[in-house]
Amino acid sequence: GRGGGVAPARVSTRDTGGRGAAKISGRSGAMMTESGEGGADVPADDAATWTVRAWRQTEGGDFAPWGPVPLDATPEVTSIPGGDPSRDDADDADDDDASTFDASAYYSRLRTRRDGRALLTARELPSTQCLIGDNAATSPGSLPPGAVCVADAQASGKGRGGNAWTSPPGCLMFSLLTRHREGRTLPFVQYVATMAAVDAIQESADDALVAAGAKGHRRGTGSAVDAKIKWPNDLYSGGLKIGGVLCTSTYSDGGFDVVVGVGINLDNAEPTTCVNDIVRNRLEREGLPSSSAAPVSRERLLAGFMNRFEAMCAVLDADDSFDALEGAYLRQWLHTDQEVTLEEDGVRKVKLVVKGITGTGYLLATDSRGTRYELHPDGNSLDFFKGLVRKKLPD
């Protein structure tokens, strides 16, 4: 439930606000479409098949090996402390089963008080969302709020409605455990996550343009590259999907444990496009060689996401409202003044124009007479805009 009334001590995990989204995925170095089939089976025995390495940032800003972290809900995964940064081997680069994610580079850009400070990395996992979500739900306290898990690849990543995703290298794939107090604003955590992802992409593009010597480029405009939100939780560039967000929540101890899963296609140019391609294209439009700036890294993108996500969640929590963030959200999305056609009773076509979002997080639209409606997905379509139903709002 979304706040109000008496809740049990722990409510099972669900898509936050009913507005879940699929994570980025792929096969042979590309993205793939969402599948309704279940994910890969977990081994029947108790022997751990996958390994995660763990670090934790200290109050002084340094980071140190952490663990082993108890992961009782996922016995197929074992945790070991990450490499010692004082020995310049913080990422266990010589180990075949270690992730290529550079913890040192990530922590050097992290500016948060909580989110992202506890880090788990793996070369491959069944699902980062399951590892974080299952352990947070069944073993409260085993993972601290702000813990994030990053995998180079996933065998059975999770998408909207429990659909399975196979996720290859070349993508930033992670799940973050965070806390949220107010049930009424819980659906907006997902919107904050999409905003943070777009901001992180734009900031990374800003860095690339400045490093390449783009004349007159101003940081912070939010328009360095074409990266937008497709409601409710997809990331698009040039009409092509480059990422997505999936949020699930569990009620516990007077608040919500929220697992924010994000997938962003960083390096795979096929079959759609990727972040580094859209940055290279912008450099070329400026007359600059694409080699004039280092590619956007997973470490840069993840740290940027964490910094923006925590800051915007603080605004959401302080106001118990999305109002202060709505203007920025609408500048980042694709849908202002978009015309949508609803089919009602199997025959009648109703044309409405999207104007924004409502106080409960659904689409706000008007008809030709100015009558206001709230638009809800019908729950049957992967494309939300092909399955909308309307509810008239008070004048």
Side-chain angles (χ1 to χ4, degrees), residues 215-235:
K215 293 182 179 179
H217 178 71
R218 292 188 300 116
R219 292 179 181 271
T221 64
S223 58
V225 292
D226 176 18
K228 296 288 185 180
I229 298 165
K230 180 180 178 183
W231 185 86
N233 42 29
D234 285 336
L235 310 176

Side-chain angles (χ1 to χ4, degrees), residues 53-55 66 101 103 106-107 116-121 148 150 302:
R53 285 164 170 77
W55 293 267
W66 170 43
F101 190 86
Y106 164 69
Y107 279 121
R117 291 171 66 103
L119 172 68
L120 302 168
T121 69
V148 62
V150 183
L302 181 60

Side-chain angles (χ1 to χ4, degrees), residues 36-93:
E37 297 175 0
D41 291 336
V42 171
D45 58 37
D46 291 333
T49 304
W50 292 276
T51 301
V52 296
R53 285 164 170 77
W55 293 267
R56 204 165 185 175
Q57 193 173 44
T58 65
E59 291 301 319
D62 296 327
F63 71 101
W66 170 43
V69 181
L71 300 173
D72 295 342
T74 50
E76 70 277 11
V77 182
T78 188
S79 163
I80 62 175
D84 185 346
S86 67
R87 299 200 314 266
D88 295 325
D89 65 348
D91 303 298
D92 304 289

